[in-house]
């Protein structure tokens, strides 16, 4: 264990690990990697094919099918039992295949955002160590690593040096408060940091003492932690599923009792009852869901660089109706730009910008700063080539304590010009102003700041060479103000419009000043409404009404996201810092850019190539695309199956023989299931992409019941037509003809339903037949060609005389018109 290896002084630990403060050589690390294995947990291993197939049986519909098949075998109904068990096997294999492809795709995609660690490595023993980023999986005991704020601790480590280090260990201890760490020998477990924890603050250098399965994290979490509950779409599907399962379980005993009471039939109707229950089962649902999500995730990665780490998150993206974002880096770039330069009277004055640019130029040249100040860069970009026409003498960079920067340039003979820029209050303290003038200038600056601008003051002085101290100049002449605004992200305005068109409400949760956040929103066309601070939102309902919430702490962001979810919204959250982790985990869908700190990226469900709202719009569309196809499948299969089951139950009670043989029911169901696999490759219409993809169980069940009963009426009308036609003398066996005609009619009506009830599609809206159109045509062809074929004869069907096609064709035409009218009425009733 790590604690045993790390016992003793720092020197003893390094000797035990055969390492040193300079780390390992590349050869030593490679040899140890072979011995110790990769720094990964066993939970991430891809399951085997047999295990995947067995796991597929956990799906409720598949489990019910298996039970029905075993019941058929138990009562010696071998044909029915074999067909049902074949359906179970096909469903399990298809689902296992889809999951295997999805896992392979996800494994390849995760490599793009695989965690890395800063490690000290040497080419050989004589070379100085260099810090380099290596994949976390390649860490070995003895490696010396560096840690900073936001880093995930990649293995169990012993601290060698630490400065102000605190670590979140909630993954191990459940404690939310960060824990202080020390590199002082004898500090006990404060010397150790464990895999799965996160650096909250400070920096450290540490030596790896345990990796992979030897870490404390691996010992405490042998099973992967459960992720957050699924979103609204998952909950809706599960609710609908259990309603159908209860109905399926009630169907066989109801059919048996009704036939026994009205027709005197006993257990001989059990295979038919079981086949009818199977007809209600959307057994392809797991396959359709897996295929739709895997295809959507792979397409997003290829075309937009968006990586979906958790496949069900694509469902939730489609259901997102509220997206919470920060301002900086999302709506605005992390750099200011000059808005105006004003003289003391508040009028535009380019000379103020000129002298501010001179001061910035010579401060950068003479102060030897490690990096240019963002405001200096903005000044030089706006002022153009200034400063080189003067000779620089001295400069004192901006100091947070003094809040000013000073540059001194050579003026006329024996004279120097002092240029001072900084905070308005600090500059005015060093100026010679008339009574009341200082208050007026402070009011002018406050007026600009209230509009969301950052304000920089400028003052100058003309002095003899060597007079006064540049570190703290006095007696300056106030020259004016330079105001700055945040540079807007170029794609943000268009992306916000696109999200609004998709029915997504954007809420800005930021730590900035309320006026700054409001100004950025207005410039991008987003109405900020009444801007509030987090402290002003006392009730959970207030979060729903606010568009911009300023002065947010990390806890505030998580609290507001949770409040929005409690209000019934499906919430996405975009964040990239340590302060965003709690909100990322609280949201239905956590979204982070690839450049985010390690802990934020690992906490997210979706990783973007860049922090860009446009990519989120594409991801939401892909989620709605996948969810729309799944909804199409559910609407079509459940309404059609319900109608067929109701019609068969009614016909079974009215006819002297079974309306269809069990094998014929199962063959019809198998053909319909095969055709509906096309929904995984369909493209929903634009109407399906304009709003959140949420299935509301009550509305959905009303839809299925209404269209199912309409389907049952068409089936019963066909039954009535056939009954009339079969009354006359005919050389063809009536029972076989009835079975064949109803088999054909059922597949034709199911083909019509596939075309007319697709999500967001208009009939005839596409000139080129899509996958669903081709599948429907194939299903209709099977319905017409199977009965007269040798396979139809084996199933107890026969060829139909030409006269028998005419009346059912009229019924189908009327059914198509009624279905089109009902669909149009349903659309008009939708909000």
């Amino acid at each position: 264990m790590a604690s045993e290896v790390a016992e003793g002084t720092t020197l003893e630990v390094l000797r035990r690990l055969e390492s040193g403060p300079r780390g390992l050589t590349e050869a030593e690390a490679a040899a140890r990697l072979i011995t110790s294995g990769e720094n990964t947990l066993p939970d991430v291993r891809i399951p085997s094919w047999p295990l995947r197939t067995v796991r597929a049986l956990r799906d409720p519909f598949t489990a019910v099918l298996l039970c029905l098949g075993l019941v058929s075998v138990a009562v010696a109904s071998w044909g029915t039992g074999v067909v049902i068990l074949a359906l179970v096997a096909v469903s399990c294999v298809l689902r296992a295949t889809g999951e295997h492809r999805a896992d392979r795709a996800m494994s390849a995609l995760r490599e793009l955002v695989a965690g890395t660690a800063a490690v000290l490595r040497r080419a050989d023993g004589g070379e100085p160590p260099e810090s380099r980023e290596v994949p976390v999986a390649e860490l070995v005991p003895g490696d010396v690593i560096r840690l900073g704020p936001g880093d995930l601790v990649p293995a169990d480590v012993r601290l060698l040096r630490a400065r102000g280090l605190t670590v979140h260990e909630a993954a191990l201890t459940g404690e939310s408060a960060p824990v202080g760490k020390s590199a002082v020998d004898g500090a006990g477990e404060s010397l150790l940091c464990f895999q799965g924890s996160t650096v909250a603050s400070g920096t450290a250098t540490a030596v790896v003492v345990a990796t992979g399965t030897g870490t404390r994290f691996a010992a405490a979490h042998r099973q992967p932690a459960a992720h957050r509950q699924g979103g609204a779409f998952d909950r809706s599907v599960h609710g609908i599923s259990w309603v159908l399962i209860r109905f399926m379980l009630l169907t066989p005993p109801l059919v048996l009792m009704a036939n026994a009471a009205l027709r005197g039939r006993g257990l001989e109707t059990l295979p038919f009852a079981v086949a009818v229950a199977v007809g209600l089962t959307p057994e392809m649902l797991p396959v359709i869901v897996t295929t739709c999500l895997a295809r959507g995730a792979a397409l997003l990665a290829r075309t937009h660089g968006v990586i979906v780490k958790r496949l069900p998150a694509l469902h939730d993206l489609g259901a997102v109706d509220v997206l919470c974002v920060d301002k900086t880096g999302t709506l605005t770039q992390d750099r200011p730009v000059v808005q105006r330069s004003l003289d003391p009277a508040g009028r535009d004055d380019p000379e103020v910008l000129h002298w501010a640019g001179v001061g910035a130029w010579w401060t950068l040249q003479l102060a030897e700063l490690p990096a240019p100040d963002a405001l200096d860069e903005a000044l030089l970009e706006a002022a153009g080539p200034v400063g080189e026409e003067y000779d620089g003498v001295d400069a004192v960079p901006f100091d947070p304590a003094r809040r000013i920067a000073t540059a001194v340039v050579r003026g006329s003979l024996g004279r120097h010009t002092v240029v001072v820029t900084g905070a308005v209050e600090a500059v005015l303290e060093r100026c010679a102003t008339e009574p009341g003038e200082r208050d007026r200038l402070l009011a002018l600056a406050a007026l600009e700041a209230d509009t969301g601008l950052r304000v920089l003051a400028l003052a100058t002085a003309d002095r003899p060479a060597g007079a006064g101290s540049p570190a703290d100049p006095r007696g300056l002449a106030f020259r004016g103000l330079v105001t700055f605004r945040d540079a807007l992200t170029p794609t943000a305005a268009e992306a916000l419009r696109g999200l609004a068109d998709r029915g997504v409400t954007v809420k800005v949760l930021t730590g900035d000043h309320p006026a700054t956040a409001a100004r950025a929103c207005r410039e991008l066309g987003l109405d900020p409404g009444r801007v509030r601070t987090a402290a002003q939102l006392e009730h959970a309902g207030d979060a729903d009404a606010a568009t911009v919430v300023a002065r947010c702490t990390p806890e505030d962001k998580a609290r507001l996201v949770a409040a929005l979810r409690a209000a019934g919204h499906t919430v996405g959250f975009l964040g990239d810092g340590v302060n965003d982790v709690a909100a990322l985990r609280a949201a239905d869908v956590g979204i982070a850019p690839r450049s985010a700190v390690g802990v934020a990226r690992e906490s997210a469900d979706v990783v973007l190539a860049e922090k860009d709202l446009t990519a989120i719009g594409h991801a939401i569309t892909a989620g709605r695309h996948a969810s729309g196809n799944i909804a199409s499948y559910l609407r079509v299969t459940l309404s059609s199956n319900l109608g067929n089951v109701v019609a068969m139950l009614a016909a079974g009670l009215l006819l002297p023989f079974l309306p269809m043989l069990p094998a014929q029911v199962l063959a019809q169901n198998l053909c319909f299931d095969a055709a509906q696999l096309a929904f995984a490759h369909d493209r929903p219409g634009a109407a399906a992409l304009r709003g959140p993809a949420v299935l509301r169980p009550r509305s959905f069940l009303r839809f299925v019941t209404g269209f199912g009963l309409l389907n049952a009426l068409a089936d019963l009308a066909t039954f009535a037509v056939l009954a009339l036609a079969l009354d006359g003398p005919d050389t063809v066996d009536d029972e076989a003809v009835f079975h064949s005609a109803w088999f054909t009619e059922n597949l034709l009506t199911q083909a019509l339903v596939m075309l007319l009830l697709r999500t967001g599609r208009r009939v005839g809206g596409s000139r080129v037949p899509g996958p669903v159109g081709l599948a429907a045509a194939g299903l209709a062809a099977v319905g017409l060609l199977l009965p007269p074929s040798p396979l139809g004869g084996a199933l107890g069907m026969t060829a139909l005389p030409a006269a028998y096609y005419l009346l059912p064709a009229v019924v189908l035409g009327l059914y198509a018109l009624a279905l089109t009218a009902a669909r149009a009425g349903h659309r008009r009733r939708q909000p």
Side-chain angles (χ1 to χ4, degrees), residues 466-708:
S469 168
D472 191 18
R474 296 285 172 174
L476 305 173
F478 188 84
R479 299 293 300 270
L481 304 172
V482 181
T483 60
F484 301 82
R485 60 175 174 81
D486 290 330
L488 302 178
T489 301
T491 59
E494 183 178 354
L496 287 172
R497 287 193 295 270
L499 289 169
D501 291 341
R502 294 178 178 91
V504 178
T505 300
V506 175
K507 294 186 179 293
V508 181
L509 311 182
T510 179
D512 281 349
H513 188 280
T516 304
R519 182 185 185 91
C521 291
R522 282 193 293 268
E523 290 180 349
L524 291 169
L526 178 65
D527 182 9
R530 179 189 169 195
V531 179
R532 309 186 190 179
T533 64
Q536 293 172 336
L537 299 180
E538 298 178 358
H539 305 290
D542 294 339
D544 207 357
T547 300
V548 178
V549 184
R551 303 298 192 198
C552 283
T553 65
E555 294 76 16
D556 290 331
K557 292 181 180 181
R559 175 175 60 85
L560 293 171
V561 168
L564 289 168
R565 290 189 69 190
H569 296 288
T570 303
V571 184
F573 182 85
L574 173 63
D576 60 357
V578 180
N579 60 332
D580 295 322
V581 171
L584 285 168
R585 292 173 176 168
D588 289 283
V589 187
I591 308 168
R594 194 181 303 174
S595 58
V597 297
V599 64
R601 197 172 60 230
E602 290 301 319
S603 300
D605 302 301
V606 178
V607 178
L608 310 177
E610 302 291 342
K611 193 175 182 182
D612 183 8
L613 288 178
T614 303
I616 297 179
H618 292 309
I620 289 174
T621 298
R624 292 179 181 177
H625 190 151
S627 299
N629 285 343
I630 296 168
S632 285
Y633 167 76
L634 284 172
R635 288 191 179 97
V636 168
T637 191
L638 293 180
S639 59
S640 180
N641 287 354
L642 179 63
N644 288 341
V645 166
V646 171
M648 284 187 185
L649 292 177
L653 298 177
L654 297 174
L655 289 173
F657 51 83
L658 292 177
M660 289 182 71
L661 299 178
Q664 295 167 356
V665 175
L666 295 173
Q668 170 191 285
N669 195 48
L670 183 61
C671 293
F672 193 30
D673 286 338
Q676 288 181 104
L677 290 175
F679 281 115
H681 305 272
D682 193 22
R683 293 190 62 83
L689 306 179
R690 283 197 290 266
V694 179
L695 285 175
R696 295 172 177 82
R698 290 185 180 180
S699 174
F700 184 81
L701 290 175
R702 283 198 300 268
F703 177 95
V704 169
T705 303
F707 283 90

Side-chain angles (χ1 to χ4, degrees), residues 614-824:
T614 303
I616 297 179
H618 292 309
I620 289 174
T621 298
R624 292 179 181 177
H625 190 151
S627 299
N629 285 343
I630 296 168
S632 285
Y633 167 76
L634 284 172
R635 288 191 179 97
V636 168
T637 191
L638 293 180
S639 59
S640 180
N641 287 354
L642 179 63
N644 288 341
V645 166
V646 171
M648 284 187 185
L649 292 177
L653 298 177
L654 297 174
L655 289 173
F657 51 83
L658 292 177
M660 289 182 71
L661 299 178
Q664 295 167 356
V665 175
L666 295 173
Q668 170 191 285
N669 195 48
L670 183 61
C671 293
F672 193 30
D673 286 338
Q676 288 181 104
L677 290 175
F679 281 115
H681 305 272
D682 193 22
R683 293 190 62 83
L689 306 179
R690 283 197 290 266
V694 179
L695 285 175
R696 295 172 177 82
R698 290 185 180 180
S699 174
F700 184 81
L701 290 175
R702 283 198 300 268
F703 177 95
V704 169
T705 303
F707 283 90
L709 293 177
L710 184 61
N711 184 285
L713 287 175
D715 286 349
L716 291 174
T718 303
F719 159 59
V721 168
L722 291 172
L724 291 174
L726 293 174
D727 278 344
D730 203 312
T731 57
V732 182
D733 179 73
D734 289 354
E735 188 173 337
V737 170
F738 190 94
H739 291 163
S740 303
W742 207 352
F743 180 89
T744 298
E745 186 270 344
N746 276 338
L747 290 190
L748 291 176
T749 57
Q750 287 170 339
L752 278 175
V753 169
M754 286 181 66
L755 291 175
L756 297 179
L757 296 189
R758 293 161 64 194
T759 300
R761 281 283 188 182
R762 294 182 178 178
V763 182
S766 176
R767 295 180 181 179
V768 180
V772 173
L774 294 175
L779 185 64
V782 170
L784 293 170
L785 301 178
L786 182 62
S789 71
L791 180 58
L795 292 173
M797 292 185 287
T798 186
L800 295 173
Y804 285 97
Y805 288 104
L806 181 60
L807 291 176
V810 173
V811 172
L812 284 174
L814 294 174
Y815 172 61
L817 293 175
L819 194 62
T820 303
R823 184 192 180 193

Side-chain angles (χ1 to χ4, degrees), residues 364-567:
L364 293 174
Q365 298 302 313
L366 299 177
E368 297 182 359
L369 297 174
D373 179 81
L375 292 182
D376 287 342
E377 288 187 325
L379 285 170
L380 293 173
E381 182 178 344
V386 296
E388 295 185 45
E389 68 271 28
Y390 301 96
D391 292 329
V393 176
D394 197 0
V396 179
F398 182 84
D399 180 357
R402 296 164 51 249
R403 298 195 299 162
I404 62 170
T406 305
V408 181
V409 297
R410 187 170 287 114
S412 58
L413 185 62
R415 309 287 295 181
H416 288 169
T417 301
V418 180
V419 182
V420 177
T421 55
V424 179
E425 296 88 346
V427 172
L428 283 173
E429 286 177 0
R430 293 164 172 82
C431 291
T433 57
E434 296 293 330
E437 181 68 5
R438 183 174 184 275
D439 291 339
R440 188 188 68 79
L441 293 173
L442 286 173
L444 175 64
L447 184 64
E448 295 295 323
D450 288 342
T451 64
L453 297 174
R454 297 169 67 178
V455 182
L456 186 76
L458 169 72
T460 62
D462 184 38
R463 294 180 176 172
S469 168
D472 191 18
R474 296 285 172 174
L476 305 173
F478 188 84
R479 299 293 300 270
L481 304 172
V482 181
T483 60
F484 301 82
R485 60 175 174 81
D486 290 330
L488 302 178
T489 301
T491 59
E494 183 178 354
L496 287 172
R497 287 193 295 270
L499 289 169
D501 291 341
R502 294 178 178 91
V504 178
T505 300
V506 175
K507 294 186 179 293
V508 181
L509 311 182
T510 179
D512 281 349
H513 188 280
T516 304
R519 182 185 185 91
C521 291
R522 282 193 293 268
E523 290 180 349
L524 291 169
L526 178 65
D527 182 9
R530 179 189 169 195
V531 179
R532 309 186 190 179
T533 64
Q536 293 172 336
L537 299 180
E538 298 178 358
H539 305 290
D542 294 339
D544 207 357
T547 300
V548 178
V549 184
R551 303 298 192 198
C552 283
T553 65
E555 294 76 16
D556 290 331
K557 292 181 180 181
R559 175 175 60 85
L560 293 171
V561 168
L564 289 168
R565 290 189 69 190

Side-chain angles (χ1 to χ4, degrees), residues 120-141:
L120 293 180
R121 291 274 178 87
R122 295 171 288 154
D124 55 53
E127 294 290 330
E130 294 181 357
S131 178
R132 63 187 67 179
E133 294 286 329
V134 302
V136 167
E138 296 179 10
L139 288 181
V140 295

